[in-house]
Amino acid sequence: MEIDFGKSGGLVPAIVQDERTGEVLMLGFMSELSFQETRRTGEVVFFSRSRNKLWKKGESSGHLLTVRDIRVDCDADALLIQVKPIGPGVCHEGYRSCFFRSLDPDGEWRVNAKRTFAPEDIYRAPAPRGEGT
Amino acid sequence: MEIDFGKSGGLVPAIVQDERTGEVLMLGFMSELSFQETRRTGEVVFFSRSRNKLWKKGESSGHLLTVRDIRVDCDADALLIQVKPIGPGVCHEGYRSCFFRSLDPDGEWRVNAKRTFAPEDIYRAPAPRGEGT
């Protein structure tokens, strides 16, 4: 069974879930190369659509995602990566999960979680481990 | 905050998660209209990329997905729908989740779950509720 990278221009959506809590942390996209790098390194590597290059999650923040299990769906066009998250959160806005807003019945998005870190402390600080920003 | 439907040709990925167990059940895509229909009906309505039309999940199987919460990510370009699934599973191959294969260290995909229903009993039977197939 081969992942169907062709369906969406070479990228498949990859859901990241905390293996321990079941919380969905974020969704990114993987190219074939980023998938290979994820397997090789044991840490999640996406393909950044905005920067058009490989993006090791946590390379600037230190909040890496250690891979515990990789799942594929029945059509082989979506991935579910179960991880052990390193650090207090994956979201650049300071939350554990990027999905920190829920829809109210009146159509407004409300914040459903508390900040777990201050983004300005992480993203303005010198990059950890010398990995660059 | 508006969902960014423009980023990927009018569609955003929508993760479906069982509200009770935390299990990720499937990933589909939503157009703006399918999102509106999901809100209006309280049941998950995707946009089918292969059939190029709205697709109410469970319209042929009866395995509808009742919406409990709708979340959006920080970039407003991915959705997380928490649901109460109706029926024994969402996957047309007979599993509770479409993510029923995990990657082995040797690179093979192995089935990680047991079938919860026989697809041939569901998809060959007359459509429930007169909704058509």
Side-chain angles (χ1 to χ4, degrees):
Chain A
M1 183 170 199
E2 298 285 330
I3 301 172
D4 186 358
F5 286 103
K7 210 167 193 173
S8 299
L11 300 177
V12 298
I15 303 159
V16 174
Q17 184 178 32
D18 187 316
E19 181 199 44
R20 193 176 58 81
T21 66
E23 187 172 18
V24 174
L25 301 177
M26 64 182 298
L27 181 141
F29 287 85
M30 286 192 180
S31 62
E32 189 159 9
L33 183 56
S34 74
F35 178 70
Q36 290 167 355
E37 283 297 290
T38 297
R39 284 196 64 197
R40 188 181 68 79
T41 64
E43 291 167 327
V44 171
V45 178
F46 293 119
F47 184 87
S48 167
R49 295 184 296 172
S50 57
R51 288 179 284 163
N52 202 41
K53 63 173 193 172
L54 292 193
W55 162 40
K56 180 163 199 155
K57 176 62 190 170
E59 63 189 359
S60 58
S61 64
H63 300 171
L64 298 163
L65 298 169
T66 303
V67 175
R68 295 299 199 193
D69 194 26
I70 298 177
R71 299 183 181 186
V72 70
D73 75 349
C74 48
D75 295 329
D77 59 6
L79 294 166
L80 172 62
I81 317 285
Q82 295 194 319
V83 303
K84 176 183 177 186
I86 308 301
V90 305
C91 184
H92 72 290
E93 294 197 34
Y95 294 89
R96 199 164 58 220
S97 163
C98 292
F99 293 96
F100 64 84
R101 289 190 183 93
S102 289
L103 193 63
D104 267 347
D106 62 3
E108 296 296 314
W109 297 101
R110 65 171 166 78
V111 172
N112 64 29
K114 290 193 174 169
R115 277 220 166 91
T116 52
F117 64 99
E120 60 271 22
D121 293 345
I122 298 296
Y123 294 101
R124 287 182 194 163
R129 305 184 188 192
E131 291 173 349
T133 55
Chain B
M1 185 170 196
E2 298 285 329
I3 301 172
D4 186 358
F5 286 103
K7 209 166 192 173
S8 299
L11 300 177
V12 298
I15 304 159
V16 174
Q17 183 179 33
D18 186 317
E19 181 199 43
R20 195 177 57 82
T21 66
E23 187 172 19
V24 174
L25 301 176
M26 64 182 298
L27 182 141
F29 287 85
M30 287 193 179
S31 62
E32 189 160 6
L33 183 56
S34 74
F35 177 70
Q36 290 166 357
E37 282 297 289
T38 297
R39 283 195 65 196
R40 189 181 67 79
T41 64
E43 291 167 328
V44 171
V45 179
F46 293 119
F47 184 86
S48 166
R49 295 184 297 173
S50 58
R51 290 178 283 163
N52 202 40
K53 64 172 192 172
L54 293 194
W55 163 39
K56 180 164 199 155
K57 176 62 190 168
E59 64 189 358
S60 59
S61 64
H63 300 170
L64 299 163
L65 299 170
T66 303
V67 175
R68 295 300 199 192
D69 194 28
I70 298 178
R71 299 183 181 187
V72 70
D73 75 349
C74 47
D75 295 329
D77 59 6
L79 294 166
L80 172 62
I81 317 285
Q82 296 194 319
V83 304
K84 177 184 176 184
I86 308 300
V90 305
C91 184
H92 72 289
E93 295 197 34
Y95 294 89
R96 200 164 55 221
S97 163
C98 292
F99 293 97
F100 63 85
R101 289 190 182 94
S102 290
L103 194 63
D104 266 348
D106 62 3
E108 296 296 315
W109 296 102
R110 66 171 165 76
V111 172
N112 63 30
K114 290 193 174 169
R115 276 220 167 90
T116 52
F117 65 99
E120 58 273 22
D121 293 345
I122 298 295
Y123 294 101
R124 285 181 197 164
R129 306 184 188 190
E131 293 175 345
T133 54

